[in-house]
Amino acid sequence: MRRLDMYVVAKILYIILVLFIIISPFAFIFYRAVTLRRPTGIVFIGFKFFMEIPEGYWKALGNSLLVGLLVALIDFVIAFPPAYVLSKYEFKFKRVITALLVVPMFTPDVVAGVGLSTVYIRYYHLYGTLLGTVLGLASTSYPMMLLPLLVSLKSLDPTYEEAAKTLGATPLQTILRVVIPLIGPGIFSGFLLTFVWSINNYLLPLYITGPGLDLLAVKLYSDIRWWGLLGRVAAEASILQLTTFGVMLLYLKTIGTKYLTGFVF
Amino acid sequence: MVVYLALVPTILYITLFWVIPILHVFIVSLTYRDSFIMGAPRFVGFTNYARVFSEYVRCIENSIKLPLAAAIVDLILGYPLAYILARRKVLFHNVLRASLIFPYFGDLYVSYGLWNMFLPGGIFDFVYKLLGVSYRQVLYTPYAVIAGFSIFTLPFMVLYVSSSLQEIDPTIEEAALTLGATPIKAFFKVIFPLTLHGAIAGFLACFGWNLGGYLIPLLLGGMRAGDVMTVKIVHLALHVHDYGVAAALSVILISMTILITFMTFKVTGMLR
């Protein structure tokens, strides 16, 4: 009995340690944003630093949310057809094709940035445009849409589709009216994952967005590099963090972790 | 047949925005400085690679060593966590599962938060005082980078190990225990060999993700310890405008990443 108690205590301590390790960097930024360090000690100053954030930052928040939404939309358009085909039909090299489709997710952003910026400037003439930013961000994030879609399409009962077809629906109607509503949670997971990923990406926009379009993460990155110790920057980081947390919390509350198989769980 | 037609836009998109840019990284690596994007490309053969292997060997070394160390830390830290999460309900079970998603938000917060914590005035002040060291003996060293890397990729390790743990029938462990094995012996003789492929896949995934990490080595490692390939590529491409050498380094980085990704797929059985 004594040994068992020791084991339980060790386990709880271990869990608390891991929780502390994971959460502390995030929590400490909030702490920095609402406190000021004086020689006499640390004082709580409320939301004063949040007031100091320049106006351009809020504009960038709007841009970032727009880019995030567009990237998620484009990701869905790109990822739905292969996800549907891979889950419904049997053919040779299916697993290899799935693997090849997932590879772009693992591309380091610095490399994708060098490649995209050179082709954008030389051939596509998309450098510094909203369209170029969105298409570029989608190129490394669509696997995050593909995997939840695959999970949800595989667990979809094929009888629904057959019923729709027997009742006279065309294939397009079946997909739009039956399949997409039924895999709603899977689509929502992919949507949120790609959205969160793209509003937090600073490295790829640094290469391809240029000065014409301000994005929150890029602004934050350059502020961290030049003014990293200011409380204002901690406040800026907290805002992006709060947006992200809000979205993820909403997600975990409404859908749970089922469709994250293959990512985080 | 119509089904395959539906795939055309996707294939077109991936070709235009992933395959062609990545192939262009190789073409750019053969040109002189920024001549590829400014005016006519001037091809100089493999001299950029010669420069990489004469001047930037140290950052390639760092790029391999630091993520490797972080992957080992992740294995030690993440394996027990995955075991706890996969086996039974524990205190804070859902909080723990949900918090595993944190690092997925990006390395921006992990690096910035850790940087603030390690600086004077952070929460490690009392540790520095206790050990009588200056913050510089912790912050701009490889250890700080390894700490950042391992926090960033801990979820991937937990994911791979717990998915391989879930495949095991729990009765196997019970059988070992009933047949007289101690819990420790049962773990090392039965559970660990069965989850070895998950641990290897997690190890490779952590290594691969950290290869692409940029802000963590930059903020936590400074100029010396954080001298890795990603930092060098951004510096060369965006600040020095030496796209040729940056692309040569990128080719090395992307070939390493793709190799590791396929090794991960091979281990997890995605290529069978």
Side-chain angles (χ1 to χ4, degrees), chain A residues 34-80:
Chain A
V34 292
T35 54
L36 186 63
R37 212 164 137 259
R38 292 251 170 78
T40 49
I42 289 159
V43 280
F44 178 75
I45 55 153
F47 293 95
K48 210 174 131 236
F49 284 137
F50 287 86
M51 304 297 160
E52 287 174 20
I53 296 173
E55 205 182 312
Y57 199 75
W58 301 106
K59 218 176 270 171
L61 178 65
N63 284 341
S64 266
L65 296 180
L66 177 71
V67 166
L69 277 177
L70 288 175
V71 169
L73 262 177
I74 289 187
D75 277 334
F76 178 69
V77 174
I78 297 162
F80 185 74

mmCIF file of all heavy atoms in Angstrom, chain A residues 34-80:
data_model
loop_
_atom_site.group_PDB
_atom_site.id
_atom_site.type_symbol
_atom_site.label_atom_id
_atom_site.label_comp_id
_atom_site.label_asym_id
_atom_site.label_seq_id
_atom_site.Cartn_x
_atom_site.Cartn_y
_atom_site.Cartn_z
ATOM 1 N N VAL A 34 1.111 42.485 -17.917
ATOM 2 C CA VAL A 34 0.315 43.230 -16.925
ATOM 3 C C VAL A 34 1.144 43.679 -15.720
ATOM 4 O O VAL A 34 0.604 44.231 -14.780
ATOM 5 C CB VAL A 34 -0.905 42.412 -16.424
ATOM 6 C CG1 VAL A 34 -1.910 42.229 -17.533
ATOM 7 C CG2 VAL A 34 -0.474 41.097 -15.834
ATOM 8 N N THR A 35 2.452 43.442 -15.736
ATOM 9 C CA THR A 35 3.271 43.878 -14.602
ATOM 10 C C THR A 35 4.428 44.741 -15.077
ATOM 11 O O THR A 35 4.810 44.719 -16.248
ATOM 12 C CB THR A 35 3.850 42.685 -13.827
ATOM 13 O OG1 THR A 35 4.539 41.860 -14.753
ATOM 14 C CG2 THR A 35 2.794 41.922 -13.093
ATOM 15 N N LEU A 36 4.967 45.497 -14.131
ATOM 16 C CA LEU A 36 6.119 46.347 -14.430
ATOM 17 C C LEU A 36 7.175 46.078 -13.374
ATOM 18 O O LEU A 36 6.854 45.940 -12.194
ATOM 19 C CB LEU A 36 5.677 47.809 -14.399
ATOM 20 C CG LEU A 36 6.713 48.846 -14.824
ATOM 21 C CD1 LEU A 36 7.101 48.647 -16.270
ATOM 22 C CD2 LEU A 36 6.145 50.230 -14.624
ATOM 23 N N ARG A 37 8.444 45.991 -13.816
ATOM 24 C CA ARG A 37 9.510 45.694 -12.865
ATOM 25 C C ARG A 37 10.166 46.998 -12.434
ATOM 26 O O ARG A 37 10.684 47.743 -13.254
ATOM 27 C CB ARG A 37 10.533 44.768 -13.527
ATOM 28 C CG ARG A 37 11.178 43.840 -12.549
ATOM 29 C CD ARG A 37 11.874 42.715 -13.254
ATOM 30 N NE ARG A 37 13.165 42.477 -12.643
ATOM 31 C CZ ARG A 37 14.312 42.903 -13.153
ATOM 32 N NH1 ARG A 37 14.321 43.559 -14.293
ATOM 33 N NH2 ARG A 37 15.435 42.653 -12.533
ATOM 34 N N ARG A 38 10.104 47.272 -11.153
ATOM 35 C CA ARG A 38 10.745 48.448 -10.574
ATOM 36 C C ARG A 38 11.827 47.972 -9.628
ATOM 37 O O ARG A 38 11.779 46.836 -9.167
ATOM 38 C CB ARG A 38 9.703 49.252 -9.770
ATOM 39 C CG ARG A 38 8.638 49.898 -10.629
ATOM 40 C CD ARG A 38 8.824 51.403 -10.656
ATOM 41 N NE ARG A 38 7.960 52.034 -11.647
ATOM 42 C CZ ARG A 38 6.674 52.244 -11.460
ATOM 43 N NH1 ARG A 38 6.102 51.871 -10.345
ATOM 44 N NH2 ARG A 38 5.964 52.826 -12.391
ATOM 45 N N PRO A 39 12.806 48.853 -9.308
ATOM 46 C CA PRO A 39 13.828 48.431 -8.337
ATOM 47 C C PRO A 39 13.234 48.013 -7.005
ATOM 48 O O PRO A 39 13.791 47.187 -6.292
ATOM 49 C CB PRO A 39 14.698 49.689 -8.178
ATOM 50 C CG PRO A 39 14.495 50.450 -9.429
ATOM 51 C CD PRO A 39 13.111 50.157 -9.903
ATOM 52 N N THR A 40 12.075 48.603 -6.670
ATOM 53 C CA THR A 40 11.466 48.265 -5.387
ATOM 54 C C THR A 40 10.719 46.939 -5.432
ATOM 55 O O THR A 40 10.366 46.398 -4.388
ATOM 56 C CB THR A 40 10.470 49.362 -4.979
ATOM 57 O OG1 THR A 40 9.623 49.630 -6.103
ATOM 58 C CG2 THR A 40 11.170 50.626 -4.558
ATOM 59 N N GLY A 41 10.457 46.449 -6.606
ATOM 60 C CA GLY A 41 9.709 45.192 -6.702
ATOM 61 C C GLY A 41 8.822 45.188 -7.930
ATOM 62 O O GLY A 41 8.863 46.117 -8.732
ATOM 63 N N ILE A 42 8.020 44.168 -8.050
ATOM 64 C CA ILE A 42 7.158 44.041 -9.219
ATOM 65 C C ILE A 42 5.779 44.594 -8.889
ATOM 66 O O ILE A 42 5.194 44.255 -7.866
ATOM 67 C CB ILE A 42 7.071 42.567 -9.650
ATOM 68 C CG1 ILE A 42 8.419 42.154 -10.258
ATOM 69 C CG2 ILE A 42 5.966 42.347 -10.653
ATOM 70 C CD1 ILE A 42 8.671 40.692 -10.283
ATOM 71 N N VAL A 43 5.301 45.515 -9.749
ATOM 72 C CA VAL A 43 3.980 46.104 -9.510
ATOM 73 C C VAL A 43 3.017 45.711 -10.619
ATOM 74 O O VAL A 43 3.389 45.615 -11.783
ATOM 75 C CB VAL A 43 4.035 47.641 -9.398
ATOM 76 C CG1 VAL A 43 4.487 48.055 -8.032
ATOM 77 C CG2 VAL A 43 4.902 48.240 -10.477
ATOM 78 N N PHE A 44 1.766 45.527 -10.223
ATOM 79 C CA PHE A 44 0.709 45.203 -11.175
ATOM 80 C C PHE A 44 0.191 46.503 -11.765
ATOM 81 O O PHE A 44 -0.137 47.432 -11.035
ATOM 82 C CB PHE A 44 -0.408 44.470 -10.434
ATOM 83 C CG PHE A 44 -1.578 44.130 -11.301
ATOM 84 C CD1 PHE A 44 -1.507 43.093 -12.210
ATOM 85 C CD2 PHE A 44 -2.753 44.862 -11.208
ATOM 86 C CE1 PHE A 44 -2.579 42.785 -13.009
ATOM 87 C CE2 PHE A 44 -3.832 44.555 -12.021
ATOM 88 C CZ PHE A 44 -3.744 43.521 -12.914
ATOM 89 N N ILE A 45 0.176 46.604 -13.087
ATOM 90 C CA ILE A 45 -0.246 47.872 -13.676
ATOM 91 C C ILE A 45 -1.495 47.722 -14.543
ATOM 92 O O ILE A 45 -1.873 48.634 -15.264
ATOM 93 C CB ILE A 45 0.870 48.519 -14.509
ATOM 94 C CG1 ILE A 45 1.365 47.538 -15.570
ATOM 95 C CG2 ILE A 45 1.998 48.996 -13.653
ATOM 96 C CD1 ILE A 45 1.932 48.223 -16.756
ATOM 97 N N GLY A 46 -2.126 46.575 -14.483
ATOM 98 C CA GLY A 46 -3.357 46.418 -15.249
ATOM 99 C C GLY A 46 -3.101 46.401 -16.745
ATOM 100 O O GLY A 46 -2.091 45.870 -17.199
ATOM 101 N N PHE A 47 -3.974 47.029 -17.502
ATOM 102 C CA PHE A 47 -3.888 46.923 -18.958
ATOM 103 C C PHE A 47 -3.258 48.148 -19.607
ATOM 104 O O PHE A 47 -3.577 48.500 -20.728
ATOM 105 C CB PHE A 47 -5.280 46.647 -19.531
ATOM 106 C CG PHE A 47 -5.803 45.311 -19.136
ATOM 107 C CD1 PHE A 47 -6.640 45.164 -18.041
ATOM 108 C CD2 PHE A 47 -5.416 44.179 -19.831
ATOM 109 C CE1 PHE A 47 -7.090 43.912 -17.649
ATOM 110 C CE2 PHE A 47 -5.862 42.927 -19.457
ATOM 111 C CZ PHE A 47 -6.695 42.792 -18.364
ATOM 112 N N LYS A 48 -2.320 48.784 -18.872
ATOM 113 C CA LYS A 48 -1.697 49.996 -19.392
ATOM 114 C C LYS A 48 -0.915 49.720 -20.675
ATOM 115 O O LYS A 48 -0.973 50.491 -21.627
ATOM 116 C CB LYS A 48 -0.774 50.579 -18.331
ATOM 117 C CG LYS A 48 -0.647 52.086 -18.425
ATOM 118 C CD LYS A 48 0.164 52.632 -17.261
ATOM 119 C CE LYS A 48 1.220 53.553 -17.780
ATOM 120 N NZ LYS A 48 2.569 53.197 -17.389
ATOM 121 N N PHE A 49 -0.197 48.605 -20.686
ATOM 122 C CA PHE A 49 0.597 48.273 -21.878
ATOM 123 C C PHE A 49 -0.284 48.025 -23.092
ATOM 124 O O PHE A 49 0.106 48.294 -24.220
ATOM 125 C CB PHE A 49 1.460 47.044 -21.616
ATOM 126 C CG PHE A 49 2.659 47.326 -20.764
ATOM 127 C CD1 PHE A 49 3.021 46.456 -19.748
ATOM 128 C CD2 PHE A 49 3.436 48.450 -20.993
ATOM 129 C CE1 PHE A 49 4.134 46.709 -18.973
ATOM 130 C CE2 PHE A 49 4.545 48.700 -20.224
ATOM 131 C CZ PHE A 49 4.895 47.834 -19.206
ATOM 132 N N PHE A 50 -1.484 47.514 -22.845
ATOM 133 C CA PHE A 50 -2.384 47.249 -23.969
ATOM 134 C C PHE A 50 -2.822 48.551 -24.634
ATOM 135 O O PHE A 50 -3.121 48.570 -25.812
ATOM 136 C CB PHE A 50 -3.606 46.460 -23.489
ATOM 137 C CG PHE A 50 -3.297 45.029 -23.159
ATOM 138 C CD1 PHE A 50 -2.833 44.680 -21.912
ATOM 139 C CD2 PHE A 50 -3.454 44.047 -24.115
ATOM 140 C CE1 PHE A 50 -2.533 43.365 -21.609
ATOM 141 C CE2 PHE A 50 -3.155 42.721 -23.826
ATOM 142 C CZ PHE A 50 -2.691 42.385 -22.570
ATOM 143 N N MET A 51 -2.868 49.641 -23.831
ATOM 144 C CA MET A 51 -3.253 50.936 -24.386
ATOM 145 C C MET A 51 -2.143 51.504 -25.269
ATOM 146 O O MET A 51 -2.401 52.316 -26.148
ATOM 147 C CB MET A 51 -3.559 51.941 -23.258
ATOM 148 C CG MET A 51 -4.614 51.474 -22.293
ATOM 149 S SD MET A 51 -6.199 51.262 -23.096
ATOM 150 C CE MET A 51 -7.042 50.180 -21.978
ATOM 151 N N GLU A 52 -0.903 51.085 -24.993
ATOM 152 C CA GLU A 52 0.225 51.648 -25.737
ATOM 153 C C GLU A 52 0.419 51.033 -27.120
ATOM 154 O O GLU A 52 1.255 51.499 -27.886
ATOM 155 C CB GLU A 52 1.521 51.429 -24.942
ATOM 156 C CG GLU A 52 1.654 52.319 -23.735
ATOM 157 C CD GLU A 52 2.880 51.951 -22.931
ATOM 158 O OE1 GLU A 52 3.786 51.296 -23.491
ATOM 159 O OE2 GLU A 52 2.927 52.315 -21.750
ATOM 160 N N ILE A 53 -0.331 49.984 -27.414
ATOM 161 C CA ILE A 53 -0.150 49.297 -28.698
ATOM 162 C C ILE A 53 -0.538 50.243 -29.833
ATOM 163 O O ILE A 53 -1.630 50.820 -29.820
ATOM 164 C CB ILE A 53 -1.002 48.016 -28.751
ATOM 165 C CG1 ILE A 53 -0.508 47.039 -27.687
ATOM 166 C CG2 ILE A 53 -0.943 47.376 -30.119
ATOM 167 C CD1 ILE A 53 -1.370 45.831 -27.543
ATOM 168 N N PRO A 54 0.329 50.432 -30.826
ATOM 169 C CA PRO A 54 0.011 51.361 -31.917
ATOM 170 C C PRO A 54 -1.181 50.886 -32.742
ATOM 171 O O PRO A 54 -1.516 49.707 -32.768
ATOM 172 C CB PRO A 54 1.289 51.372 -32.756
ATOM 173 C CG PRO A 54 2.037 50.174 -32.350
ATOM 174 C CD PRO A 54 1.664 49.874 -30.946
ATOM 175 N N GLU A 55 -1.779 51.869 -33.430
ATOM 176 C CA GLU A 55 -3.017 51.581 -34.136
ATOM 177 C C GLU A 55 -2.827 50.557 -35.265
ATOM 178 O O GLU A 55 -3.695 49.750 -35.539
ATOM 179 C CB GLU A 55 -3.571 52.887 -34.720
ATOM 180 C CG GLU A 55 -5.060 52.883 -34.936
ATOM 181 C CD GLU A 55 -5.508 54.193 -35.549
ATOM 182 O OE1 GLU A 55 -5.091 55.256 -35.040
ATOM 183 O OE2 GLU A 55 -6.244 54.143 -36.532
ATOM 184 N N GLY A 56 -1.647 50.623 -35.908
ATOM 185 C CA GLY A 56 -1.383 49.715 -37.018
ATOM 186 C C GLY A 56 -1.505 48.259 -36.624
ATOM 187 O O GLY A 56 -1.802 47.403 -37.458
ATOM 188 N N TYR A 57 -1.283 48.011 -35.347
ATOM 189 C CA TYR A 57 -1.338 46.635 -34.876
ATOM 190 C C TYR A 57 -2.743 46.070 -34.963
ATOM 191 O O TYR A 57 -2.938 44.919 -35.330
ATOM 192 C CB TYR A 57 -0.838 46.581 -33.433
ATOM 193 C CG TYR A 57 -0.427 45.213 -32.991
ATOM 194 C CD1 TYR A 57 0.761 44.666 -33.422
ATOM 195 C CD2 TYR A 57 -1.246 44.473 -32.145
ATOM 196 C CE1 TYR A 57 1.140 43.413 -33.025
ATOM 197 C CE2 TYR A 57 -0.869 43.221 -31.741
ATOM 198 C CZ TYR A 57 0.322 42.691 -32.177
ATOM 199 O OH TYR A 57 0.687 41.449 -31.787
ATOM 200 N N TRP A 58 -3.735 46.906 -34.647
ATOM 201 C CA TRP A 58 -5.121 46.431 -34.712
ATOM 202 C C TRP A 58 -5.548 46.204 -36.151
ATOM 203 O O TRP A 58 -6.312 45.294 -36.445
ATOM 204 C CB TRP A 58 -6.050 47.434 -34.031
ATOM 205 C CG TRP A 58 -5.685 47.652 -32.601
ATOM 206 C CD1 TRP A 58 -5.080 48.749 -32.070
ATOM 207 C CD2 TRP A 58 -5.852 46.737 -31.519
ATOM 208 N NE1 TRP A 58 -4.864 48.573 -30.735
ATOM 209 C CE2 TRP A 58 -5.330 47.342 -30.368
ATOM 210 C CE3 TRP A 58 -6.403 45.444 -31.416
ATOM 211 C CZ2 TRP A 58 -5.339 46.718 -29.116
ATOM 212 C CZ3 TRP A 58 -6.417 44.839 -30.185
ATOM 213 C CH2 TRP A 58 -5.884 45.470 -29.057
ATOM 214 N N LYS A 59 -5.038 47.064 -37.049
ATOM 215 C CA LYS A 59 -5.328 46.869 -38.469
ATOM 216 C C LYS A 59 -4.747 45.527 -38.929
ATOM 217 O O LYS A 59 -5.374 44.783 -39.677
ATOM 218 C CB LYS A 59 -4.724 48.026 -39.272
ATOM 219 C CG LYS A 59 -5.613 48.481 -40.423
ATOM 220 C CD LYS A 59 -5.009 49.684 -41.116
ATOM 221 C CE LYS A 59 -5.479 50.990 -40.501
ATOM 222 N NZ LYS A 59 -4.723 52.140 -41.044
ATOM 223 N N ALA A 60 -3.530 45.252 -38.434
ATOM 224 C CA ALA A 60 -2.875 43.993 -38.797
ATOM 225 C C ALA A 60 -3.657 42.795 -38.278
ATOM 226 O O ALA A 60 -3.690 41.744 -38.925
ATOM 227 C CB ALA A 60 -1.446 43.962 -38.246
ATOM 228 N N LEU A 61 -4.313 42.966 -37.117
ATOM 229 C CA LEU A 61 -5.134 41.869 -36.590
ATOM 230 C C LEU A 61 -6.253 41.537 -37.565
ATOM 231 O O LEU A 61 -6.496 40.367 -37.878
ATOM 232 C CB LEU A 61 -5.710 42.262 -35.223
ATOM 233 C CG LEU A 61 -6.643 41.261 -34.536
ATOM 234 C CD1 LEU A 61 -5.915 39.990 -34.171
ATOM 235 C CD2 LEU A 61 -7.280 41.857 -33.298
ATOM 236 N N GLY A 62 -6.902 42.589 -38.109
ATOM 237 C CA GLY A 62 -7.948 42.378 -39.100
ATOM 238 C C GLY A 62 -7.417 41.661 -40.331
ATOM 239 O O GLY A 62 -8.010 40.681 -40.801
ATOM 240 N N ASN A 63 -6.246 42.129 -40.838
ATOM 241 C CA ASN A 63 -5.629 41.478 -42.002
ATOM 242 C C ASN A 63 -5.355 40.008 -41.736
ATOM 243 O O ASN A 63 -5.610 39.155 -42.577
ATOM 244 C CB ASN A 63 -4.300 42.157 -42.347
ATOM 245 C CG ASN A 63 -4.504 43.473 -43.045
ATOM 246 O OD1 ASN A 63 -5.577 43.721 -43.585
ATOM 247 N ND2 ASN A 63 -3.489 44.312 -43.032
ATOM 248 N N SER A 64 -4.815 39.731 -40.532
ATOM 249 C CA SER A 64 -4.450 38.360 -40.203
ATOM 250 C C SER A 64 -5.676 37.463 -40.181
ATOM 251 O O SER A 64 -5.634 36.339 -40.691
ATOM 252 C CB SER A 64 -3.779 38.310 -38.838
ATOM 253 O OG SER A 64 -2.401 38.372 -38.992
ATOM 254 N N LEU A 65 -6.776 37.963 -39.582
ATOM 255 C CA LEU A 65 -7.980 37.147 -39.512
ATOM 256 C C LEU A 65 -8.515 36.868 -40.912
ATOM 257 O O LEU A 65 -8.927 35.752 -41.221
ATOM 258 C CB LEU A 65 -9.056 37.842 -38.663
ATOM 259 C CG LEU A 65 -8.706 38.036 -37.186
ATOM 260 C CD1 LEU A 65 -9.835 38.731 -36.455
ATOM 261 C CD2 LEU A 65 -8.398 36.713 -36.525
ATOM 262 N N LEU A 66 -8.461 37.908 -41.776
ATOM 263 C CA LEU A 66 -8.911 37.722 -43.162
ATOM 264 C C LEU A 66 -8.064 36.666 -43.864
ATOM 265 O O LEU A 66 -8.592 35.736 -44.494
ATOM 266 C CB LEU A 66 -8.818 39.061 -43.907
ATOM 267 C CG LEU A 66 -9.190 39.011 -45.379
ATOM 268 C CD1 LEU A 66 -10.687 38.793 -45.548
ATOM 269 C CD2 LEU A 66 -8.772 40.290 -46.094
ATOM 270 N N VAL A 67 -6.722 36.798 -43.739
ATOM 271 C CA VAL A 67 -5.826 35.834 -44.382
ATOM 272 C C VAL A 67 -6.075 34.427 -43.841
ATOM 273 O O VAL A 67 -6.153 33.460 -44.602
ATOM 274 C CB VAL A 67 -4.351 36.255 -44.190
ATOM 275 C CG1 VAL A 67 -3.408 35.124 -44.544
ATOM 276 C CG2 VAL A 67 -4.036 37.471 -45.031
ATOM 277 N N GLY A 68 -6.269 34.332 -42.516
ATOM 278 C CA GLY A 68 -6.522 33.020 -41.917
ATOM 279 C C GLY A 68 -7.770 32.370 -42.494
ATOM 280 O O GLY A 68 -7.757 31.197 -42.856
ATOM 281 N N LEU A 69 -8.849 33.155 -42.615
ATOM 282 C CA LEU A 69 -10.099 32.617 -43.156
ATOM 283 C C LEU A 69 -9.924 32.163 -44.599
ATOM 284 O O LEU A 69 -10.353 31.079 -44.981
ATOM 285 C CB LEU A 69 -11.195 33.676 -43.096
ATOM 286 C CG LEU A 69 -11.929 33.823 -41.777
ATOM 287 C CD1 LEU A 69 -12.935 34.960 -41.844
ATOM 288 C CD2 LEU A 69 -12.654 32.520 -41.459
ATOM 289 N N LEU A 70 -9.241 33.020 -45.406
ATOM 290 C CA LEU A 70 -9.073 32.686 -46.824
ATOM 291 C C LEU A 70 -8.211 31.435 -46.980
ATOM 292 O O LEU A 70 -8.497 30.571 -47.809
ATOM 293 C CB LEU A 70 -8.441 33.861 -47.568
ATOM 294 C CG LEU A 70 -9.346 35.073 -47.771
ATOM 295 C CD1 LEU A 70 -8.579 36.223 -48.399
ATOM 296 C CD2 LEU A 70 -10.532 34.706 -48.649
ATOM 297 N N VAL A 71 -7.147 31.341 -46.162
ATOM 298 C CA VAL A 71 -6.278 30.158 -46.252
ATOM 299 C C VAL A 71 -7.079 28.905 -45.923
ATOM 300 O O VAL A 71 -6.995 27.896 -46.632
ATOM 301 C CB VAL A 71 -5.064 30.290 -45.306
ATOM 302 C CG1 VAL A 71 -4.312 28.979 -45.200
ATOM 303 C CG2 VAL A 71 -4.134 31.374 -45.779
ATOM 304 N N ALA A 72 -7.920 28.978 -44.877
ATOM 305 C CA ALA A 72 -8.705 27.809 -44.493
ATOM 306 C C ALA A 72 -9.661 27.420 -45.617
ATOM 307 O O ALA A 72 -9.815 26.233 -45.935
ATOM 308 C CB ALA A 72 -9.467 28.100 -43.205
ATOM 309 N N LEU A 73 -10.273 28.427 -46.267
ATOM 310 C CA LEU A 73 -11.188 28.152 -47.373
ATOM 311 C C LEU A 73 -10.472 27.463 -48.528
ATOM 312 O O LEU A 73 -10.930 26.445 -49.055
ATOM 313 C CB LEU A 73 -11.789 29.469 -47.883
ATOM 314 C CG LEU A 73 -13.166 29.845 -47.367
ATOM 315 C CD1 LEU A 73 -13.567 31.202 -47.909
ATOM 316 C CD2 LEU A 73 -14.174 28.792 -47.797
ATOM 317 N N ILE A 74 -9.324 28.036 -48.915
ATOM 318 C CA ILE A 74 -8.575 27.464 -50.041
ATOM 319 C C ILE A 74 -8.093 26.068 -49.700
ATOM 320 O O ILE A 74 -8.128 25.162 -50.534
ATOM 321 C CB ILE A 74 -7.415 28.401 -50.425
ATOM 322 C CG1 ILE A 74 -8.004 29.649 -51.072
ATOM 323 C CG2 ILE A 74 -6.437 27.726 -51.374
ATOM 324 C CD1 ILE A 74 -7.015 30.567 -51.647
ATOM 325 N N ASP A 75 -7.667 25.875 -48.442
ATOM 326 C CA ASP A 75 -7.238 24.549 -48.020
ATOM 327 C C ASP A 75 -8.359 23.537 -48.198
ATOM 328 O O ASP A 75 -8.123 22.412 -48.634
ATOM 329 C CB ASP A 75 -6.823 24.578 -46.546
ATOM 330 C CG ASP A 75 -5.411 25.045 -46.382
ATOM 331 O OD1 ASP A 75 -4.640 24.873 -47.331
ATOM 332 O OD2 ASP A 75 -5.083 25.590 -45.325
ATOM 333 N N PHE A 76 -9.584 23.956 -47.874
ATOM 334 C CA PHE A 76 -10.704 23.026 -48.027
ATOM 335 C C PHE A 76 -10.913 22.673 -49.493
ATOM 336 O O PHE A 76 -11.086 21.503 -49.835
ATOM 337 C CB PHE A 76 -11.981 23.633 -47.448
ATOM 338 C CG PHE A 76 -13.174 22.749 -47.628
ATOM 339 C CD1 PHE A 76 -13.255 21.562 -46.932
ATOM 340 C CD2 PHE A 76 -14.175 23.084 -48.511
ATOM 341 C CE1 PHE A 76 -14.334 20.714 -47.113
ATOM 342 C CE2 PHE A 76 -15.253 22.246 -48.696
ATOM 343 C CZ PHE A 76 -15.328 21.061 -47.990
ATOM 344 N N VAL A 77 -10.840 23.674 -50.363
ATOM 345 C CA VAL A 77 -11.034 23.427 -51.796
ATOM 346 C C VAL A 77 -9.962 22.476 -52.327
ATOM 347 O O VAL A 77 -10.227 21.580 -53.122
ATOM 348 C CB VAL A 77 -11.021 24.765 -52.571
ATOM 349 C CG1 VAL A 77 -11.077 24.520 -54.066
ATOM 350 C CG2 VAL A 77 -12.182 25.629 -52.130
ATOM 351 N N ILE A 78 -8.708 22.669 -51.829
ATOM 352 C CA ILE A 78 -7.613 21.822 -52.300
ATOM 353 C C ILE A 78 -7.719 20.416 -51.724
ATOM 354 O O ILE A 78 -7.491 19.432 -52.422
ATOM 355 C CB ILE A 78 -6.250 22.415 -51.885
ATOM 356 C CG1 ILE A 78 -6.027 23.764 -52.536
ATOM 357 C CG2 ILE A 78 -5.111 21.489 -52.255
ATOM 358 C CD1 ILE A 78 -4.954 24.540 -51.834
ATOM 359 N N ALA A 79 -8.064 20.318 -50.431
ATOM 360 C CA ALA A 79 -7.928 19.035 -49.751
ATOM 361 C C ALA A 79 -9.142 18.142 -49.890
ATOM 362 O O ALA A 79 -9.030 16.936 -49.731
ATOM 363 C CB ALA A 79 -7.620 19.267 -48.266
ATOM 364 N N PHE A 80 -10.323 18.715 -50.189
ATOM 365 C CA PHE A 80 -11.510 17.857 -50.210
ATOM 366 C C PHE A 80 -11.483 16.793 -51.310
ATOM 367 O O PHE A 80 -11.713 15.623 -51.013
ATOM 368 C CB PHE A 80 -12.798 18.683 -50.274
ATOM 369 C CG PHE A 80 -14.026 17.840 -50.165
ATOM 370 C CD1 PHE A 80 -14.393 17.305 -48.946
ATOM 371 C CD2 PHE A 80 -14.781 17.523 -51.280
ATOM 372 C CE1 PHE A 80 -15.497 16.491 -48.825
ATOM 373 C CE2 PHE A 80 -15.888 16.706 -51.173
ATOM 374 C CZ PHE A 80 -16.241 16.195 -49.940
#
